[in-house]
Structure formats: structure tokens, C-alpha cells
Amino acid sequence: MMTLSAFLIMMLVGIPIGICLCLGALAYIIDSGNPLLFSNYPLQLFGGVDSYGLIAIPLFILIGEIMNGGGITQRIVNLAMACVGALKGGLAYVNILANMMVSSILGSATAQVAIMSQIMVPEMEKKGYDKTFAAGLTAYGGMLGPIIPPSVMFVVYSTLAQVAVSDMLIAGIIPGLILTLMFFFIIMVMGFFYNYPRGEKQSLKERFSIFLDASPTLLIPIVIVGSILSGLANPTESAAVGSIVAALVGRYWTREFDLSQLPKMMLRAGIYSAIVLFLVAAAAVFSWVLIYGKIPLMIAESIKNVATSPIAFLLIVSVALLLIGTVIDGIPGLIMVVPILLPIATGVYGIDPRHFGVVVVINLVLGLLTPPVGLCFFVASAVTGAKPGPMFIVTIPFFIVSCLLLVLLCFYPEISTALLK
């Protein structure tokens, strides 16, 4: 009780979630009256980040920095424009398609929204789209980042759940593609009712020229995802090779990447990585005291009285996680819930931990697009000037199909595990 009270009070006064987790664990040790636990505290803290797979996080972030600084993002957008830009509502399709392509490199929703909002929203405004819709659509496009590999959230989950990082990245491919197609369908329907403008039609010669200019940039996701799927490299190795490929493409093909930018890029990647890794270490300590206190077992007993099947359990968890995701950022939310819910999902209901990870991540990412916080909307608002509240209202159809995907995942786990068999 003391641990829960201390944790909630610290969260309410605005103390960062990582510190809340560390101090909450200390509160439990004090309350337990077992001084021997103090000696294990630093070991658990260090053990939380003592994982080879976590090295992939700073490397994936660095790839995104190099890609943005090297003009690679803009060429991917141009390629998406050449593919679907001439359709009715073409720029809306381009927004989602470009986000899907970029997500195979960045893997972070907030970073993706910040980058793509600068590129897509002004262009959509010029063509007659409402700025609020354009910004909201870009925010939902950013949702693909943590689902389509690589994904920082999947790397963190794999460490918490002790499953292979490569399995988690592969598990996100089909759900990510399905969500993209669902977004396309919504754009098609909305384009019919709101008469969205068509994009400029490009000649075959112009399309070929754009494809030729952008084709080397496609080496980056091919190297990252292809090496993982083929088994030639693990995620950490593929991220290292991917960062080298991104630097070479930006330096010698786009000629926009300057080596003098690299120290600043590495510093930004290091700062963000340090925040993520501190959260992982704090989660390790907190989950350690939860297990010691048999908290997951007590929660499992409570849930078993309500959820009589794996599907019922997943549906209940989805509602709970969506509510958690509305007030807590993705990775902190992941770190808080996985140590509690994963043992119940696997031990009581026999749910595949990789499938459970996909459900958890999509729920928490959707929370980034749901009031009262809606972090991705605030990021898009900061870049574009559009208001977060109206953004949510105009993108409600995208919220509905995202929830529909979660329901499908609850009933059909093979959606996430098909490529793993």
C-alpha cells in the first residue's frame, strides 16, 4: 500500500516516470522491512539495461537523424507522390504512404510526426486541404512508426518480455500493413464526401526520374528489414549497417549529409537513448519488487474472475491500455504495464508473448492520439499551428479503424504471428 501511495503521489506532482519507478521500488523495500533487498537494488538497476539488444535503440535513432539531415526523407515523399499522387485525395494517400516508408527507418511515432508535419502539412495546405485535417492525418501516419519495423517500442518490449527482438519486429509487419490499407480506405471514403483534390499528374518520364533519384534511399529499409527477415543479421547488427548505409547515401547520392553534422546528430541520438534506457532500468527495478511482492499473482486472480478466455482478457486489457495511453507516453506506459500483465497473459491464458506485445504497443501508440494528452497531436500542433482538439475530431474515422484492428488482433492472433511460423 505504501508503494502504491508513494508512486501515485509522485506521478500527480509531476515527477518524471523513471524517477517515480525507482523511488516507488525504494518505498516498497522500506515498507517490507527486509534490508537485504537494498543490496540487490543496484544490481537489478544495472541488469535492466545489461542487454545486447538494447544497443539497437541509439542506432535506430541515429539512422533517423542521418536520414532527415541527408535529404532522404524528402526523396521518399517524392517517391510516394509519384506512386499515388494523381489519385483523388492524392496528397492524403501520399501522407500515409510516405509515413509507412519512413516508419521502416525511424521507428518512433513522435519523431516521425515532427519530421513529416514539416514536409506534408504545408504542401497539403497549398493544394487546398484543411490544415487541421492535414496535421491530424500526419499524426495518425506517425502511428505506423512503432508498428512497422524497426521500432524502439518493440525493442524495449522484447527486453522486458525476454523474447527475441527480431521476432517482435517481424510480428509488427502484417498489422502495420493492414492498418495502412485501412487508412487508405478511410481516405477514399472521405475523399468521395469532401471532394479532395487530385494531385498533379506526372508523366512516365518524370516518375522514372523520381524513382531513379529515390531508389538508393530504399536501400536503408531493405538492408534493415531484409537482413532481419533473412537471418543474416540480428536487429542490432542490421541497425549498425543501416546507419552506415544512410550515411553513405546521404553523403554520396543526395549530397546533403555533411560529416560536420554527425557529432550533433550523435548527441541528439544519445540524449534520447539515455532517456529510454533509464526508463528500462527503472522498470527492471520496479518489476523486481512487484514480483517479490506477488502483485502479478494477485492481479491475475482478480482478472480471472472477469475474463474467462484469452479473447476476453485481451479485450479488457485493450480498454485498460488505451486509457493508460491517453495520459502516459508510449515507452513509460509499456514499462509500467508489461511486468504486471505479461505473466498473466502467458501463464494464465497461454497467449503468445509476441502477439501480446503487438496488442500492447498498438494500444499505447493509439493512446498517443487520444485526449486528454494525445502527445502526437501536440507535436503536430507545435510544428503546424493547428489545434489538437479539432485534430482529434476530424480524424475520428482513423481512430475507429485503429480500434477495429485491435479487435481483429484479439480474435485472430495469427495476424501478428503468421510470419513467425
Side-chain angles (χ1 to χ4, degrees), residues 249-264:
V249 171
R251 177 70 173 168
Y252 296 107
W253 182 261
T254 66
R255 300 184 182 277
E256 294 183 32
F257 172 62
D258 191 339
L259 287 175
S260 63
Q261 301 173 332
L262 191 59
K264 290 183 179 179

mmCIF file with all atom_site columns, all heavy atoms in Angstrom, residues 249-264:
data_model
loop_
_atom_site.group_PDB
_atom_site.id
_atom_site.type_symbol
_atom_site.label_atom_id
_atom_site.label_alt_id
_atom_site.label_comp_id
_atom_site.label_asym_id
_atom_site.label_entity_id
_atom_site.label_seq_id
_atom_site.pdbx_PDB_ins_code
_atom_site.Cartn_x
_atom_site.Cartn_y
_atom_site.Cartn_z
_atom_site.occupancy
_atom_site.B_iso_or_equiv
_atom_site.pdbx_formal_charge
_atom_site.auth_seq_id
_atom_site.auth_comp_id
_atom_site.auth_asym_id
_atom_site.auth_atom_id
_atom_site.pdbx_PDB_model_num
ATOM 1   N N   . VAL A 1 249 ? 24.507 7.016  -48.377 1.00 0.00 ? 249 VAL A N   1
ATOM 2   C CA  . VAL A 1 249 ? 23.502 7.547  -49.322 1.00 0.00 ? 249 VAL A CA  1
ATOM 3   C C   . VAL A 1 249 ? 23.403 9.060  -49.193 1.00 0.00 ? 249 VAL A C   1
ATOM 4   O O   . VAL A 1 249 ? 23.371 9.791  -50.196 1.00 0.00 ? 249 VAL A O   1
ATOM 5   C CB  . VAL A 1 249 ? 22.124 6.883  -49.076 1.00 0.00 ? 249 VAL A CB  1
ATOM 6   C CG1 . VAL A 1 249 ? 21.035 7.589  -49.884 1.00 0.00 ? 249 VAL A CG1 1
ATOM 7   C CG2 . VAL A 1 249 ? 22.169 5.407  -49.442 1.00 0.00 ? 249 VAL A CG2 1
ATOM 8   N N   . GLY A 1 250 ? 23.354 9.545  -47.946 1.00 0.00 ? 250 GLY A N   1
ATOM 9   C CA  . GLY A 1 250 ? 23.255 10.985 -47.729 1.00 0.00 ? 250 GLY A CA  1
ATOM 10  C C   . GLY A 1 250 ? 24.496 11.738 -48.170 1.00 0.00 ? 250 GLY A C   1
ATOM 11  O O   . GLY A 1 250 ? 24.409 12.890 -48.607 1.00 0.00 ? 250 GLY A O   1
ATOM 12  N N   . ARG A 1 251 ? 25.636 11.090 -48.081 1.00 0.00 ? 251 ARG A N   1
ATOM 13  C CA  . ARG A 1 251 ? 26.903 11.754 -48.430 1.00 0.00 ? 251 ARG A CA  1
ATOM 14  C C   . ARG A 1 251 ? 27.177 11.735 -49.929 1.00 0.00 ? 251 ARG A C   1
ATOM 15  O O   . ARG A 1 251 ? 27.562 12.766 -50.511 1.00 0.00 ? 251 ARG A O   1
ATOM 16  C CB  . ARG A 1 251 ? 28.043 11.053 -47.677 1.00 0.00 ? 251 ARG A CB  1
ATOM 17  C CG  . ARG A 1 251 ? 29.436 11.579 -47.972 1.00 0.00 ? 251 ARG A CG  1
ATOM 18  C CD  . ARG A 1 251 ? 29.661 12.944 -47.410 1.00 0.00 ? 251 ARG A CD  1
ATOM 19  N NE  . ARG A 1 251 ? 31.051 13.359 -47.562 1.00 0.00 ? 251 ARG A NE  1
ATOM 20  C CZ  . ARG A 1 251 ? 31.480 14.594 -47.371 1.00 0.00 ? 251 ARG A CZ  1
ATOM 21  N NH1 . ARG A 1 251 ? 30.618 15.535 -47.008 1.00 0.00 ? 251 ARG A NH1 1
ATOM 22  N NH2 . ARG A 1 251 ? 32.749 14.902 -47.515 1.00 0.00 ? 251 ARG A NH2 1
ATOM 23  N N   . TYR A 1 252 ? 26.977 10.579 -50.560 1.00 0.00 ? 252 TYR A N   1
ATOM 24  C CA  . TYR A 1 252 ? 27.445 10.419 -51.944 1.00 0.00 ? 252 TYR A CA  1
ATOM 25  C C   . TYR A 1 252 ? 26.318 10.404 -52.974 1.00 0.00 ? 252 TYR A C   1
ATOM 26  O O   . TYR A 1 252 ? 26.591 10.548 -54.171 1.00 0.00 ? 252 TYR A O   1
ATOM 27  C CB  . TYR A 1 252 ? 28.278 9.146  -52.071 1.00 0.00 ? 252 TYR A CB  1
ATOM 28  C CG  . TYR A 1 252 ? 29.541 9.206  -51.234 1.00 0.00 ? 252 TYR A CG  1
ATOM 29  C CD1 . TYR A 1 252 ? 29.657 8.456  -50.062 1.00 0.00 ? 252 TYR A CD1 1
ATOM 30  C CD2 . TYR A 1 252 ? 30.595 10.033 -51.603 1.00 0.00 ? 252 TYR A CD2 1
ATOM 31  C CE1 . TYR A 1 252 ? 30.807 8.520  -49.278 1.00 0.00 ? 252 TYR A CE1 1
ATOM 32  C CE2 . TYR A 1 252 ? 31.749 10.101 -50.828 1.00 0.00 ? 252 TYR A CE2 1
ATOM 33  C CZ  . TYR A 1 252 ? 31.850 9.343  -49.672 1.00 0.00 ? 252 TYR A CZ  1
ATOM 34  O OH  . TYR A 1 252 ? 32.979 9.422  -48.906 1.00 0.00 ? 252 TYR A OH  1
ATOM 35  N N   . TRP A 1 253 ? 25.055 10.221 -52.544 1.00 0.00 ? 253 TRP A N   1
ATOM 36  C CA  . TRP A 1 253 ? 23.971 10.242 -53.528 1.00 0.00 ? 253 TRP A CA  1
ATOM 37  C C   . TRP A 1 253 ? 23.162 11.540 -53.434 1.00 0.00 ? 253 TRP A C   1
ATOM 38  O O   . TRP A 1 253 ? 23.089 12.299 -54.391 1.00 0.00 ? 253 TRP A O   1
ATOM 39  C CB  . TRP A 1 253 ? 23.063 9.029  -53.351 1.00 0.00 ? 253 TRP A CB  1
ATOM 40  C CG  . TRP A 1 253 ? 21.963 8.984  -54.386 1.00 0.00 ? 253 TRP A CG  1
ATOM 41  C CD1 . TRP A 1 253 ? 20.667 9.378  -54.239 1.00 0.00 ? 253 TRP A CD1 1
ATOM 42  C CD2 . TRP A 1 253 ? 22.084 8.558  -55.744 1.00 0.00 ? 253 TRP A CD2 1
ATOM 43  N NE1 . TRP A 1 253 ? 19.970 9.222  -55.414 1.00 0.00 ? 253 TRP A NE1 1
ATOM 44  C CE2 . TRP A 1 253 ? 20.820 8.712  -56.360 1.00 0.00 ? 253 TRP A CE2 1
ATOM 45  C CE3 . TRP A 1 253 ? 23.138 8.049  -56.508 1.00 0.00 ? 253 TRP A CE3 1
ATOM 46  C CZ2 . TRP A 1 253 ? 20.579 8.382  -57.685 1.00 0.00 ? 253 TRP A CZ2 1
ATOM 47  C CZ3 . TRP A 1 253 ? 22.910 7.710  -57.835 1.00 0.00 ? 253 TRP A CZ3 1
ATOM 48  C CH2 . TRP A 1 253 ? 21.647 7.879  -58.406 1.00 0.00 ? 253 TRP A CH2 1
ATOM 49  N N   . THR A 1 254 ? 22.570 11.788 -52.270 1.00 0.00 ? 254 THR A N   1
ATOM 50  C CA  . THR A 1 254 ? 21.807 13.039 -52.132 1.00 0.00 ? 254 THR A CA  1
ATOM 51  C C   . THR A 1 254 ? 22.737 14.240 -51.965 1.00 0.00 ? 254 THR A C   1
ATOM 52  O O   . THR A 1 254 ? 22.345 15.370 -52.239 1.00 0.00 ? 254 THR A O   1
ATOM 53  C CB  . THR A 1 254 ? 20.861 12.966 -50.922 1.00 0.00 ? 254 THR A CB  1
ATOM 54  O OG1 . THR A 1 254 ? 21.631 12.904 -49.709 1.00 0.00 ? 254 THR A OG1 1
ATOM 55  C CG2 . THR A 1 254 ? 19.965 11.736 -51.001 1.00 0.00 ? 254 THR A CG2 1
ATOM 56  N N   . ARG A 1 255 ? 23.944 13.994 -51.465 1.00 0.00 ? 255 ARG A N   1
ATOM 57  C CA  . ARG A 1 255 ? 24.965 15.029 -51.240 1.00 0.00 ? 255 ARG A CA  1
ATOM 58  C C   . ARG A 1 255 ? 24.489 16.130 -50.278 1.00 0.00 ? 255 ARG A C   1
ATOM 59  O O   . ARG A 1 255 ? 24.920 17.278 -50.379 1.00 0.00 ? 255 ARG A O   1
ATOM 60  C CB  . ARG A 1 255 ? 25.412 15.647 -52.574 1.00 0.00 ? 255 ARG A CB  1
ATOM 61  C CG  . ARG A 1 255 ? 26.023 14.643 -53.535 1.00 0.00 ? 255 ARG A CG  1
ATOM 62  C CD  . ARG A 1 255 ? 26.533 15.316 -54.802 1.00 0.00 ? 255 ARG A CD  1
ATOM 63  N NE  . ARG A 1 255 ? 27.065 14.349 -55.744 1.00 0.00 ? 255 ARG A NE  1
ATOM 64  C CZ  . ARG A 1 255 ? 28.290 13.833 -55.708 1.00 0.00 ? 255 ARG A CZ  1
ATOM 65  N NH1 . ARG A 1 255 ? 29.105 14.200 -54.752 1.00 0.00 ? 255 ARG A NH1 1
ATOM 66  N NH2 . ARG A 1 255 ? 28.681 12.956 -56.612 1.00 0.00 ? 255 ARG A NH2 1
ATOM 67  N N   . GLU A 1 256 ? 23.603 15.779 -49.372 1.00 0.00 ? 256 GLU A N   1
ATOM 68  C CA  . GLU A 1 256 ? 23.109 16.748 -48.396 1.00 0.00 ? 256 GLU A CA  1
ATOM 69  C C   . GLU A 1 256 ? 23.587 16.444 -46.976 1.00 0.00 ? 256 GLU A C   1
ATOM 70  O O   . GLU A 1 256 ? 23.343 17.231 -46.062 1.00 0.00 ? 256 GLU A O   1
ATOM 71  C CB  . GLU A 1 256 ? 21.572 16.782 -48.422 1.00 0.00 ? 256 GLU A CB  1
ATOM 72  C CG  . GLU A 1 256 ? 20.994 17.311 -49.727 1.00 0.00 ? 256 GLU A CG  1
ATOM 73  C CD  . GLU A 1 256 ? 19.480 17.391 -49.692 1.00 0.00 ? 256 GLU A CD  1
ATOM 74  O OE1 . GLU A 1 256 ? 18.924 17.634 -48.602 1.00 0.00 ? 256 GLU A OE1 1
ATOM 75  O OE2 . GLU A 1 256 ? 18.864 17.213 -50.757 1.00 0.00 ? 256 GLU A OE2 1
ATOM 76  N N   . PHE A 1 257 ? 24.240 15.311 -46.809 1.00 0.00 ? 257 PHE A N   1
ATOM 77  C CA  . PHE A 1 257 ? 24.735 14.949 -45.478 1.00 0.00 ? 257 PHE A CA  1
ATOM 78  C C   . PHE A 1 257 ? 26.181 15.392 -45.342 1.00 0.00 ? 257 PHE A C   1
ATOM 79  O O   . PHE A 1 257 ? 27.059 14.961 -46.103 1.00 0.00 ? 257 PHE A O   1
ATOM 80  C CB  . PHE A 1 257 ? 24.625 13.438 -45.263 1.00 0.00 ? 257 PHE A CB  1
ATOM 81  C CG  . PHE A 1 257 ? 25.284 12.961 -43.990 1.00 0.00 ? 257 PHE A CG  1
ATOM 82  C CD1 . PHE A 1 257 ? 24.837 13.401 -42.751 1.00 0.00 ? 257 PHE A CD1 1
ATOM 83  C CD2 . PHE A 1 257 ? 26.352 12.076 -44.028 1.00 0.00 ? 257 PHE A CD2 1
ATOM 84  C CE1 . PHE A 1 257 ? 25.429 12.968 -41.591 1.00 0.00 ? 257 PHE A CE1 1
ATOM 85  C CE2 . PHE A 1 257 ? 26.954 11.628 -42.870 1.00 0.00 ? 257 PHE A CE2 1
ATOM 86  C CZ  . PHE A 1 257 ? 26.494 12.082 -41.645 1.00 0.00 ? 257 PHE A CZ  1
ATOM 87  N N   . ASP A 1 258 ? 26.411 16.287 -44.391 1.00 0.00 ? 258 ASP A N   1
ATOM 88  C CA  . ASP A 1 258 ? 27.755 16.805 -44.124 1.00 0.00 ? 258 ASP A CA  1
ATOM 89  C C   . ASP A 1 258 ? 28.290 16.121 -42.864 1.00 0.00 ? 258 ASP A C   1
ATOM 90  O O   . ASP A 1 258 ? 27.610 16.070 -41.832 1.00 0.00 ? 258 ASP A O   1
ATOM 91  C CB  . ASP A 1 258 ? 27.694 18.320 -43.923 1.00 0.00 ? 258 ASP A CB  1
ATOM 92  C CG  . ASP A 1 258 ? 29.077 18.957 -43.906 1.00 0.00 ? 258 ASP A CG  1
ATOM 93  O OD1 . ASP A 1 258 ? 30.058 18.232 -43.648 1.00 0.00 ? 258 ASP A OD1 1
ATOM 94  O OD2 . ASP A 1 258 ? 29.165 20.176 -44.140 1.00 0.00 ? 258 ASP A OD2 1
ATOM 95  N N   . LEU A 1 259 ? 29.501 15.619 -42.943 1.00 0.00 ? 259 LEU A N   1
ATOM 96  C CA  . LEU A 1 259 ? 30.089 14.920 -41.796 1.00 0.00 ? 259 LEU A CA  1
ATOM 97  C C   . LEU A 1 259 ? 30.196 15.813 -40.566 1.00 0.00 ? 259 LEU A C   1
ATOM 98  O O   . LEU A 1 259 ? 30.229 15.312 -39.431 1.00 0.00 ? 259 LEU A O   1
ATOM 99  C CB  . LEU A 1 259 ? 31.469 14.369 -42.169 1.00 0.00 ? 259 LEU A CB  1
ATOM 100 C CG  . LEU A 1 259 ? 31.476 13.152 -43.113 1.00 0.00 ? 259 LEU A CG  1
ATOM 101 C CD1 . LEU A 1 259 ? 32.902 12.794 -43.495 1.00 0.00 ? 259 LEU A CD1 1
ATOM 102 C CD2 . LEU A 1 259 ? 30.782 11.961 -42.455 1.00 0.00 ? 259 LEU A CD2 1
ATOM 103 N N   . SER A 1 260 ? 30.249 17.131 -40.785 1.00 0.00 ? 260 SER A N   1
ATOM 104 C CA  . SER A 1 260 ? 30.318 18.048 -39.638 1.00 0.00 ? 260 SER A CA  1
ATOM 105 C C   . SER A 1 260 ? 29.030 18.028 -38.823 1.00 0.00 ? 260 SER A C   1
ATOM 106 O O   . SER A 1 260 ? 29.005 18.457 -37.668 1.00 0.00 ? 260 SER A O   1
ATOM 107 C CB  . SER A 1 260 ? 30.601 19.473 -40.126 1.00 0.00 ? 260 SER A CB  1
ATOM 108 O OG  . SER A 1 260 ? 29.544 19.947 -40.943 1.00 0.00 ? 260 SER A OG  1
ATOM 109 N N   . GLN A 1 261 ? 27.915 17.519 -39.431 1.00 0.00 ? 261 GLN A N   1
ATOM 110 C CA  . GLN A 1 261 ? 26.648 17.415 -38.711 1.00 0.00 ? 261 GLN A CA  1
ATOM 111 C C   . GLN A 1 261 ? 26.602 16.206 -37.784 1.00 0.00 ? 261 GLN A C   1
ATOM 112 O O   . GLN A 1 261 ? 25.771 16.150 -36.867 1.00 0.00 ? 261 GLN A O   1
ATOM 113 C CB  . GLN A 1 261 ? 25.482 17.287 -39.710 1.00 0.00 ? 261 GLN A CB  1
ATOM 114 C CG  . GLN A 1 261 ? 25.349 18.430 -40.685 1.00 0.00 ? 261 GLN A CG  1
ATOM 115 C CD  . GLN A 1 261 ? 24.298 18.144 -41.747 1.00 0.00 ? 261 GLN A CD  1
ATOM 116 O OE1 . GLN A 1 261 ? 24.037 16.984 -42.091 1.00 0.00 ? 261 GLN A OE1 1
ATOM 117 N NE2 . GLN A 1 261 ? 23.676 19.181 -42.253 1.00 0.00 ? 261 GLN A NE2 1
ATOM 118 N N   . LEU A 1 262 ? 27.482 15.243 -38.036 1.00 0.00 ? 262 LEU A N   1
ATOM 119 C CA  . LEU A 1 262 ? 27.405 13.964 -37.331 1.00 0.00 ? 262 LEU A CA  1
ATOM 120 C C   . LEU A 1 262 ? 27.517 14.086 -35.815 1.00 0.00 ? 262 LEU A C   1
ATOM 121 O O   . LEU A 1 262 ? 26.745 13.435 -35.098 1.00 0.00 ? 262 LEU A O   1
ATOM 122 C CB  . LEU A 1 262 ? 28.466 13.002 -37.881 1.00 0.00 ? 262 LEU A CB  1
ATOM 123 C CG  . LEU A 1 262 ? 28.357 11.545 -37.427 1.00 0.00 ? 262 LEU A CG  1
ATOM 124 C CD1 . LEU A 1 262 ? 27.000 10.966 -37.821 1.00 0.00 ? 262 LEU A CD1 1
ATOM 125 C CD2 . LEU A 1 262 ? 29.475 10.704 -38.053 1.00 0.00 ? 262 LEU A CD2 1
ATOM 126 N N   . PRO A 1 263 ? 28.447 14.893 -35.262 1.00 0.00 ? 263 PRO A N   1
ATOM 127 C CA  . PRO A 1 263 ? 28.525 14.989 -33.789 1.00 0.00 ? 263 PRO A CA  1
ATOM 128 C C   . PRO A 1 263 ? 27.208 15.451 -33.152 1.00 0.00 ? 263 PRO A C   1
ATOM 129 O O   . PRO A 1 263 ? 26.791 14.903 -32.133 1.00 0.00 ? 263 PRO A O   1
ATOM 130 C CB  . PRO A 1 263 ? 29.639 16.012 -33.560 1.00 0.00 ? 263 PRO A CB  1
ATOM 131 C CG  . PRO A 1 263 ? 30.507 15.901 -34.773 1.00 0.00 ? 263 PRO A CG  1
ATOM 132 C CD  . PRO A 1 263 ? 29.561 15.618 -35.900 1.00 0.00 ? 263 PRO A CD  1
ATOM 133 N N   . LYS A 1 264 ? 26.542 16.448 -33.764 1.00 0.00 ? 264 LYS A N   1
ATOM 134 C CA  . LYS A 1 264 ? 25.268 16.921 -33.213 1.00 0.00 ? 264 LYS A CA  1
ATOM 135 C C   . LYS A 1 264 ? 24.189 15.845 -33.327 1.00 0.00 ? 264 LYS A C   1
ATOM 136 O O   . LYS A 1 264 ? 23.363 15.680 -32.421 1.00 0.00 ? 264 LYS A O   1
ATOM 137 C CB  . LYS A 1 264 ? 24.825 18.190 -33.932 1.00 0.00 ? 264 LYS A CB  1
ATOM 138 C CG  . LYS A 1 264 ? 25.675 19.408 -33.625 1.00 0.00 ? 264 LYS A CG  1
ATOM 139 C CD  . LYS A 1 264 ? 25.128 20.650 -34.315 1.00 0.00 ? 264 LYS A CD  1
ATOM 140 C CE  . LYS A 1 264 ? 25.974 21.866 -33.970 1.00 0.00 ? 264 LYS A CE  1
ATOM 141 N NZ  . LYS A 1 264 ? 25.474 23.095 -34.651 1.00 0.00 ? 264 LYS A NZ  1
#
